[in-house]
Structure formats: C-alpha cells, structure tokens
Amino acid sequence: MPISPSEIKWVDERTLRPWDWLYLPALWDGLSTTVRHMFSRKVTIEFPEQRPSIPPHYKGVHRLNRDEQGRVRCVACYLCATACPAHCIDIVAAPSPWPDREKYPELFVIDELRCIYCGMCEEACPVDAIELTTLYDLTGFSREEMLFDKEKLLAVYDYTVAKGSDPIRTHRGVLGPASEIASQQPAPLPNT
Ligand code: SF4
Ligand code: SF4
C-alpha cells in the first residue's frame, strides 16, 4: 500500500553554524557520549573471555537425537523438510536396517548458513529427532563446512549430551517407534 503524503515528514538539511566548522561542538558531543557510557550500566560482555548466559529455549545449531540404542531417531518422514521455510533441509530416505521402523535417513543435511533458526523443524518432527541446541558460536571457513550432514548433527548431539547443556526438550514423540523414550534424560553416549 502506498504511503499517504500526510504521513511523510520532510527534514531539511541542517545548515552549519560558524562554530560548527571548528568541529569542536561535535567533538564535545562525542566525548561526552563516551564518558556517559563509561559510567552507565554495561549491556555488553567481553566475549569470548566472558560467556553469555543462554536461555534453554535458545535456537542455535541443530542436532539429530539418538534413541536408547544409540541409533539416529529420525524415521525419514520429511516433515521437517516440508515445514522448513528456508528449504535448507535435504533428506534421502532408505529402507531401515532395523525392524522397528520402515525408513531411516541415509543422508540428512542442514545448511546452517541458510537456516533462519525458526524452530519449525523441531516443531514438526513427530519423533523428537531434530532439535535446536544452545550452541551459538559454531563457525567455518567455507560454505561447505556449514553444511551439517548426519554424522555432524549426531556429533552435535553427542557433544551437547556430554556437556550436559541441552536436555531433550521436545516431548511429543508418540507417533513413531523411535520416540518411545519418555524420560527427559538424554540417551547415554554410544560406544561408536
Ligand atoms: S530452524 Fe527453521 S529454517 Fe532452520 S532448518 Fe529448522 S525449519 Fe528450517
Ligand atoms: S521430521 Fe523428524 S523424523 Fe521426520 S525427517 Fe525430520 S527429523 Fe526425521
């Protein structure tokens, strides 16, 4: 919808006064702002020496959760990829090697650079297989490094479980055999 002319406020360019040409008023303004901030309440921290306190519902790097046997929980239903507004999840399903499910993800890749961290994938997953973690400082030197494949996403699960920072937070898992763990405790780390 076009903006009504009555809502437009035109601002005239300020004309410099003679003493403005000396830059002293501007210098004074800048210094006084600096001094004011030196004594005001600090809202920033000295990262990375200081680490921010991240709330548990923070949406950071993804992980693929494991089930009680250390297998990937995902049953390759594509619901997360369908729900993803950024189209950054690629899955290739294959017949499951395990008898308790039909399919499993042979390939599972998330483009962490394309992701907008909305959490829709986490919401959509019927078996609590995909979650966002509180990890916020993962970086890479190339776009390829930021394509997280299944192994990397499982490694994020292992890392966050070992660190104890991210308990499993999705608990809707009643639709599939891989979701039968009712406990809030994360599954133990697998040996392999
Ligand atoms: S957090 Fe949102 S954008 Fe990122 S993969 Fe999940 S659904 Fe897609
Ligand atoms: S919604 Fe869950 S089970 Fe389905 S493909 Fe995504 S991660 Fe796997």
Side-chain angles (χ1 to χ4, degrees):
M1 185 191 294
I3 301 172
S4 153
S6 63
E7 291 176 33
I8 299 175
K9 184 178 175 187
W10 294 98
V11 180
D12 293 329
E13 190 178 346
R14 189 180 155 205
T15 45
L16 292 181
R17 294 157 298 182
W19 57 88
D20 285 334
W21 288 104
L22 299 173
Y23 297 109
L24 288 176
L27 206 58
W28 171 254
D29 278 352
L31 282 174
S32 60
T33 301
T34 303
V35 171
R36 200 167 60 249
H37 281 289
M38 278 172 67
F39 296 103
S40 62
R41 189 174 71 86
K42 300 289 178 293
V43 291
T44 56
I45 59 167
E46 294 190 19
F47 184 85
E49 288 79 16
Q50 292 177 330
R51 293 280 169 163
S53 147
I54 300 294
H57 55 275
Y58 181 84
K59 293 184 174 75
V61 176
H62 303 75
R63 70 181 181 188
L64 274 180
N65 291 340
R66 295 184 189 272
D67 67 8
E68 72 279 8
Q69 296 176 43
R71 306 170 302 181
V72 63
R73 276 193 186 208
C74 173
V75 293
C77 68
Y78 290 90
L79 279 177
C80 56
T82 306
C84 176
H87 305 297
C88 59
I89 304 178
D90 280 322
I91 303 167
V92 175
S96 165
W98 311 299
D100 58 355
R101 65 190 80 168
E102 280 182 21
K103 292 184 294 175
Y104 89 118
E106 191 172 44
L107 284 176
F108 195 113
V109 180
I110 300 180
D111 186 342
E112 297 286 337
L113 288 183
R114 190 164 174 167
C115 172
I116 56 171
Y117 299 91
C118 63
M120 295 292 287
C121 49
E122 185 180 80
E123 293 281 328
C125 183
V127 294
D128 304 335
I130 186 169
E131 288 186 323
L132 289 95
T133 69
T134 55
L135 291 182
Y136 57 88
D137 56 353
L138 253 67
T139 56
F141 289 107
S142 64
R143 292 194 71 84
E144 288 71 27
E145 274 181 68
M146 300 308 285
L147 294 174
F148 279 35
D149 60 13
K150 186 173 73 176
E151 286 65 37
K152 209 163 179 178
L153 292 163
L154 287 168
V156 174
Y157 173 81
D158 294 338
Y159 175 79
T160 48
V161 167
K163 199 172 154 212
S165 57
D166 293 85
I168 291 175
R169 63 182 182 182
T170 52
H171 296 287
R172 280 176 312 282
V174 289
L175 299 179
S179 63
E180 287 162 5
I181 304 174
S183 162
Q184 291 206 2
Q185 293 304 313
L189 282 174
N191 294 325
T192 55

